[in-house]
Amino acid sequence: MWKETREREFGNIRPNLFSSRISKSRVSSIRLSNYKEIVSSHRGSVNSLQVDLTEGRYLLAGASDATVAVYDIERATDYDGGGLIAKHKSLFVVNKQHEHGHKYAISSAIWYPIDTGLFVTGSYDHHINVWDTNTTHVVMDFKMPGKVYRAAMSSIARSHMLIAAGTEDVQVRLCDIASGAFAHTLSGHRDGVMSLEWSTSSEYVLKSSSTAQSSSAKARAPQKKLANGNALKPHAVCRISSQVKTAKQRSHPGMLSSHDRATGHYGVVTGLKVTEDGMYLLSAGSDSRLRLWDVESGCNTLVNFETARLQSSKAIQMAVSQDSSLAFVPCMTTAKAFDIWSGQTKCTFRGHYENVNCCWYDALNQELYTGGNDRQILVWSPSKSISDEVDEWRKEQAATVDQDNWSD
Amino acid sequence: MSIWNYVVTAHKPTNVTHSCVGNFTGPQEVNLIIAKCTRIEIHLLSPQGLQPMLDVPIYGRIATLELFRPHGESQDLLFIATERYKFCVLQWDAETAEVITRAMGDVSDRIGRPTDNGQIGIIDPDCRLIGLHLYDGLFKVIPFDNKGQLKEAFNIRLEELQVLDIKFLYGCPKPTIVVLYQDNKDARHVKTYEVALKDKDFIEGPWSQNNLDNGAELLIPVPPPLCGVLIIGEETIVYCSASAFKAIPIRPSITRAYGRVDADGSRYLLGDHNGLLHLLVITHEKEKVTGLKIELLGKTSVASSISYLDNAVVFVGSSYGDSQLIKLNLQPDAKGQGQVVTCSGAYKDGSLRIVRNGIGINEQASVELQGIKGMWSLRSATDDPYDTFLVVSFISETRILAMNLEDELEETEIEGFCSNIQTLFCHDAMYDQLVQVTSNGVRLVSSTTRELRNEWFAPAGYSINVATANATQVLLATGGGHLVYLEIGDGVLTEVKHAQLEYDISCLDINPIGAFGREIIPRSVLLCSFEGISYLLCALGDGHLLNFLLNTSNGELADRKKVSLGTQPITLRTFSSKNATHVFAASDRPTVIYSSNKKLLYSNVNLKEVSHMCLSILLLSLKGNMIAFLSVKKIFFVNSLAIAKEGELTIGTIDDIQKLHIRSIPLGEHARRICHQEQTCTFAICSLKYNQSSAEDCEMHFIRLLDDQTFEFISTYPLDQFECGCSILSCSFSDDNNVYYCVGTAYVMPEENEPTKGRILVFAVEDGKLQLIAEKETKGAVYSLNAFNGKLLAAINQKIQLYKWMLREDGSRELQSECGHHGHILALYHEEGAIEERARDYNANWMSAVEILDDDIYLGAENNFNLFTVRKNSEGATDEERGRLEVVGEYHLGEFVNRFRHGSLVMRLPDSDVGQIPTVIFGTVNGVIGVIASLPHEQYVFLEKLQTNLRKVIKGVGGLSHEQWRSFYNEKKTVDARNFLDGDLIESFLDLSRNRMEEISKAMNIPVEELMKRVEELTRLH
């Protein structure tokens, strides 16, 4: 920081290089936060975490006890440790008691990308609910054919308001918030869809992964180009299907046959994450493998990620740092940071007592949020040099306790 | 201050970012084109040197500047790409002498991450395509069609992620690029690709080279017949082509810029980070490269771009120093020497620059004369348009100077004048006569024969003390309070009236509008009329100037105003410039007083200590003073001022307009922080000196004390090894009347990422020496210091700490820490010894500078060259609302701001509107000095409307949109500018042609004169 500030002042380094260097050095030093704690309001495993994309201030968490909560990560509710440790309690919680609350576990909770006025939850009770954040009322409800594993909205979409939903069903459904109906069903998988992601480069491209164990080829489903506008028009659907075909044939014919098995996943694909620039896709499988795919060509980049055991029964939520250099992956009870280009483990985050389900990387503060089966949400942040002061405070505390004992 | 702000550049950017040479303005003309961040300058190479042709702003930060010539064109076109992904192709229109836009467009993608190493823009030497590397992993191609028109752009995937440089190779049948990149293991390689335009893809190129120098950062394509590429590293230079590979070791250096000397590409100039200029020669036999040779040419400014012009003249553009034109001595065996021919200003790391606004005086001639008491200029005949004689008065003699045929000042004589006595006053009179007033009497002399025609003697026993005269009248005062009024006839002086006043008369003035006297203790009075309004100006001995409106019919004075011009007695004199009356007020701070829009304006003159001033005449309307001066030889002192300084007489021309004047004081080291202490008349600076002589570059840091007048080092306090000064403040503490310099430092250990130790040093200035009074160790770098309620507030790493100034028992003093606060703070409040956060801006920005505009409004500058203002909502209903800073203004400045400071570059006067407008000054990395002024709402609305209309009339170069350029832009969002106005655009109204002004006037429904008046008022902010 010191050096960079000086270089920037002299005009030796470009300001964007300054910010990326600082972010990089900060993210490489993240540890369990010594100044920020989130007081979890959940009584079940935390399955989904997301900080809103507009203000970068509100953390949305969905948990297995059908609760969904929002935390303000900028403004602490109270302080501990002599004012040095900020505690963040939830701003509100929606649980089973709520009149429209989900009955079963919430598998994913996502913000409406344009503002914080809406958020979307998908649950094992076969429902996707759209909530008004201010009133915590359900404004829209989509009934799905099976358990919802994952819901996703495009962060860059300007012309559609579609929620893509992966369920037990083989088809991916696109729920249109604008009309309240299903805009599309996308066929291609042969089993339920565990994970899906919108492309970050084109608002009409969606990536999904399936639980189909029979075919590894399906592990990375091809791009599906969706036509803009009214999806009920038959010609639009035709165009989609033809494009899917051409895409398949041109870019990775091997994926459809058994030729190219080695590069896919054996088993369930449990997680997908697109890099910030939309050029690469990271996938995690129940075979405990991570693979990095070039989105445009559909080829495996053959980055050899260090082996780590991955949770195989449940979908996991991975995160990628803003400059696409680090991937944060839940690995059983730990979360690991991998260097995306070399596949090496850069850092292991130990702190959860049980399996970690989800990671969210907050690029603004270079902080990592993880949620696990131990019902905790942990904050990992670049450390502040306040340890000595905390010690001092503890000493003081101890001293006062001692004094009390003596005076008694 | 208010939220409605007006941003204007007072000093244009000086950082030369790009330069290129080519035939842009005509097939036979050689042009040097220089990009200075957001401006381009086009120069013509002429036998006399560089001749400026055009200097225009670009609505964008220039990322690429390239000249190219499509097939069938006789002259070059200019390709410019901006950092916000706009590009344009410009062509010179010789008829209108303007730049016209051939093509423009947007090359931004939604996909992709902007490159870390800056944007790359290159043009195929055979003009088949333009290549752009804007985002990691993507190479954008804009193809040309057969007619040289641009076709639709497309992206090609580039596998290499960390690209350092890309260039087109010469002499390839298909367009071929060579890519220098770094892999995951930090090794550097080059690779070539052919661009297949039909398939929109890359094909593996003819060759590649792995594992180059780890510092390789620059590629130089070699033109035919040799072809291939030079790879410039930190320790080696490699020539690489499909058939050859040659390398030579060099002294470790980082090459920053290169310039090709010969068209066949056998010689190159390389400029490194220390400012050394090398010549690289490719030796070859029968078009086969046999080796490389490098030799040192000399030292220049640290080059950011090098362009070889012609005949061994080189332009060295610099970011950190002055840009230079250099003459090379390229004799085959002689070591060349750099000789500076011209200089243009730029940000120099080793100098202090004193920036003053005002009217400049350019010295034309100077003569050494001691003890000048007064000066007047006289004409040889009443109808002569120019002054011929300069009468210089000394204590015991009077000398007369005249300009001879060689334009040199020469001493001459007027026989009728009494030359062995001090002259009190001189003037031209009617009938070709001259009047000289001495302490003995008044002499009337014919200006043609130079003989005495009449004389009037002072009454016996009294000597004349003060006198004044005009063409027909003389007014003089003698001791004992006698006031005598004489009238001048043809060869006669008649005493008309005699009066006795109670006291001795200190000064007088006479003018055709009527004589006037007044009893304040003035040192100089002057009656004059500006724009038809008569004023009485009265200068007091303490540097104050009073001005009154004079009613010429009844002689009443009204509208008294007092202005402080300096601290020394003022002498007033009128002179005319541009057919308007100006008054020169000579004192310790010379000032020119003039009137515009019926308001008196005061402008500093950038010359020190003027005791007397003499004026001359201007009857030609001059555009360039010097030109008129040279072409008509006999003109004497055209539009010039003769000024007496201590022991020297200087004659100079006066600038037409007031402008920024920058005086440069080379320090030879890099001053990083500066602070002024009024009480001790000193500046203190934190500076660092690079020591390059030893094998490892090491830095030494100092605290230096300078005199605020002479800028000489008075005292120096060296800091410890590894210690680095990072903040400085002049302040005083409660319960202590002394003023101190507080310096915050950091110990920068090479192995530490973030400093963990620093100091706060408190100095007092005693006998011109820095005396260390107290020091306090801190747990990190002291990034900033500020005085706060008689205490010292310090920013230490991520913490804010408040220190109290304590008196110890032994009488010495120390700093004692009082309370601290961690985390991001935008507003602080001090209450009972605690620091608490009051409000916060929740929009994350990478900020570079911040300033408080008023209690509730704060101004910030950030990493993406934007400015923004936030407002604290003190009246908010909830804690949440009160604790949130609302963004109220956003603006893209296009410049990286290092510092904001409250203050003004111009004199603040009570009787001008501008005087009421609070301003903040900022300085940027590129050498821009700018002013942000808070306007009243009514004026803001008016100017906003003017700005909107100007946008329609003034088209950006290359068709770039002003609105888009000024919109706030960062990684997350782009929003239109609000509550900020672009003063540069608004002030360009004054440069428009009359009919375009009328166009705007019609659209605004306001007369042109009114618009001009209001815009002119704004230009006085800087």
Side-chain angles (χ1 to χ4, degrees), chain B residues 205-377:
Chain B
W207 54 270
S208 64
Q209 188 70 44
N210 287 343
N211 297 322
L212 298 158
D213 185 339
N214 269 338
E217 220 166 288
L218 186 68
L219 293 173
I220 306 177
V222 182
L226 302 173
C227 301
V229 71
L230 287 164
I231 304 156
I232 314 293
E234 276 175 20
E235 284 163 3
T236 51
I237 293 178
V238 173
Y239 170 82
C240 228
S241 73
S243 55
F245 180 87
K246 299 275 179 238
I248 51 160
I250 53 168
R251 260 187 59 182
S253 66
I254 302 164
T255 304
R256 287 272 166 83
Y258 78 91
R260 194 171 79 198
V261 178
D262 311 291
D264 71 348
S266 57
R267 289 185 299 178
Y268 295 89
L269 294 166
L270 306 177
D272 76 2
H273 67 300
N274 286 332
L276 296 178
L277 192 69
H278 292 268
L279 182 73
L280 176 69
V281 184
I282 306 178
T283 53
H284 53 95
E285 272 171 32
K286 292 179 193 145
E287 299 180 4
K288 237 182 110 87
V289 175
T290 54
L292 300 170
K293 248 177 29 192
I294 189 155
E295 61 179 282
L296 180 67
L297 290 182
K299 198 155 189 168
T300 65
S301 293
V302 180
S304 59
S305 80
I306 299 177
S307 289
Y308 182 82
L309 295 171
D310 207 356
N311 296 326
V313 176
V314 180
F315 173 78
V316 177
S318 176
S319 296
Y320 308 122
D322 288 332
S323 297
Q324 299 170 323
L325 260 191
I326 288 177
K327 179 103 178 150
L328 294 177
N329 186 356
L330 285 175
Q331 252 71 56
D333 55 353
K335 282 244 163 98
Q337 278 190 331
Q339 181 199 346
V340 178
V341 180
T342 68
C343 281
S344 74
Y347 220 88
K348 176 117 179 149
D349 17 21
S351 69
L352 275 184
R353 300 206 165 197
I354 295 107
V355 181
R356 284 186 81 186
N357 198 319
I359 293 175
I361 290 181
N362 312 312
E363 262 184 41
Q364 285 185 340
S366 79
V367 199
E368 275 201 21
L369 294 167
Q370 292 287 343
I372 299 172
K373 300 303 280 182
M375 286 196 300
W376 300 266
S377 63

Side-chain angles (χ1 to χ4, degrees), chain B residues 670-950:
Chain B
H670 189 151
R672 291 195 60 215
R673 298 284 184 274
I674 186 161
C675 151
H676 184 240
Q677 200 167 71
E678 215 179 331
Q679 292 85 347
T680 57
C681 300
T682 53
F683 282 105
I685 58 169
C686 296
S687 70
L688 71 105
K689 195 175 191 124
Y690 291 102
N691 194 352
Q692 283 158 349
S693 56
S694 58
E696 274 177 46
D697 287 2
C698 65
E699 294 174 6
M700 282 295 292
H701 291 260
F702 301 97
I703 311 297
R704 291 188 191 274
L705 192 70
L706 287 88
D707 184 277
D708 71 351
Q709 295 296 322
T710 61
F711 293 93
E712 275 164 5
F713 291 150
I714 310 174
S715 171
T716 297
Y717 180 89
L719 294 176
D720 295 347
Q721 200 189 3
F722 300 118
E723 194 181 14
C724 175
C726 26
S727 50
I728 193 161
L729 172 79
S730 164
C731 69
S732 58
F733 299 100
S734 43
D735 313 327
D736 188 354
N737 295 326
N738 299 325
V739 208
Y740 298 99
Y741 278 117
C742 300
V743 178
T745 71
Y747 284 90
V748 186
M749 300 300 172
E751 69 281 358
E752 272 176 4
N753 214 348
E754 186 83 2
T756 54
K757 191 182 151 198
R759 285 196 293 174
I760 299 175
L761 306 167
V762 182
F763 293 100
V765 178
E766 287 167 10
D767 311 325
K769 292 266 179 298
L770 281 174
Q771 292 290 347
L772 186 65
I773 303 294
E775 67 173 291
K776 174 89 187 166
E777 197 164 295
T778 61
K779 282 179 184 157
V782 185
Y783 282 101
S784 182
L785 286 172
N786 229 325
F788 187 77
N789 291 352
K791 291 168 184 167
L792 183 69
L793 197 61
I796 301 160
N797 281 7
Q798 296 156 327
K799 195 175 169 183
I800 309 267
Q801 185 82 40
L802 192 65
Y803 290 97
K804 216 162 145 181
W805 191 230
M806 296 293 286
L807 190 66
R808 270 200 297 239
E809 280 167 11
D810 59 353
S812 64
R813 287 181 181 267
E814 63 166 352
L815 281 176
Q816 202 176 68
S817 86
E818 193 167 86
C819 53
H821 184 93
H822 274 281
H824 357 232
I825 293 169
L826 255 171
L828 262 186
Y829 189 67
H830 177 242
E831 197 176 28
E832 288 165 18
I835 297 172
E836 63 173 275
E837 180 181 320
R838 299 292 289 185
R840 186 189 289 203
D841 173 23
Y842 288 98
N843 293 294
N845 282 308
W846 293 91
M847 294 189 54
S848 63
V850 68
E851 187 62 84
I852 297 174
L853 292 185
D854 66 16
D855 283 353
D856 286 338
I857 300 169
Y858 314 105
L859 170 73
E862 59 89 275
N863 222 14
N864 288 298
F865 318 113
N866 298 305
L867 295 179
F868 62 91
T869 45
V870 290
R871 183 168 56 194
K872 185 153 74 86
N873 188 359
S874 306
E875 260 85 70
T878 62
D879 276 353
E880 155 76 25
E881 276 171 35
R882 282 191 293 272
R884 180 196 280 265
L885 292 172
E886 178 201 1
V887 178
V888 285
E890 288 166 307
Y891 181 74
H892 187 76
L893 181 67
E895 282 288 335
F896 184 85
V897 177
N898 268 336
R899 278 285 175 286
F900 287 118
R901 279 275 184 274
H902 278 285
S904 164
L905 291 169
V906 287
M907 247 202 257
R908 284 312 182 64
L909 297 162
D911 59 339
S912 73
D913 290 351
V914 173
Q916 313 303 325
I917 296 176
T919 55
V920 167
I921 307 170
F922 60 86
T924 77
V925 162
N926 289 321
V928 169
I929 297 169
V931 177
I932 298 172
S934 283
L935 302 178
H937 188 236
E938 173 275 325
Q939 198 177 5
Y940 177 85
V941 172
F942 166 79
L943 290 173
E944 191 177 32
K945 199 171 152 198
L946 178 61
Q947 176 176 279
T948 317
N949 283 300
L950 279 168

Side-chain angles (χ1 to χ4, degrees), chain A residues 364-385:
Chain A
L364 290 181
N365 298 314
Q366 293 86 37
E367 285 174 331
L368 179 72
Y369 296 87
T370 56
N373 285 350
D374 59 357
R375 311 192 292 265
Q376 296 299 319
I377 300 169
L378 297 184
V379 188
W380 310 80
S381 60
S383 55
K384 272 189 193 169
S385 53

Side-chain angles (χ1 to χ4, degrees), chain A residues 6 9 12 15 156 279 294, chain B residues 110 136 320 699 863 898:
Chain A
R6 206 176 103 172
E9 184 187 305
N12 288 347
I156 56 159
M279 301 220 274
D294 184 320
Chain B
R110 277 167 77 175
D136 277 346
Y320 308 122
E699 294 174 6
N863 222 14
N898 268 336

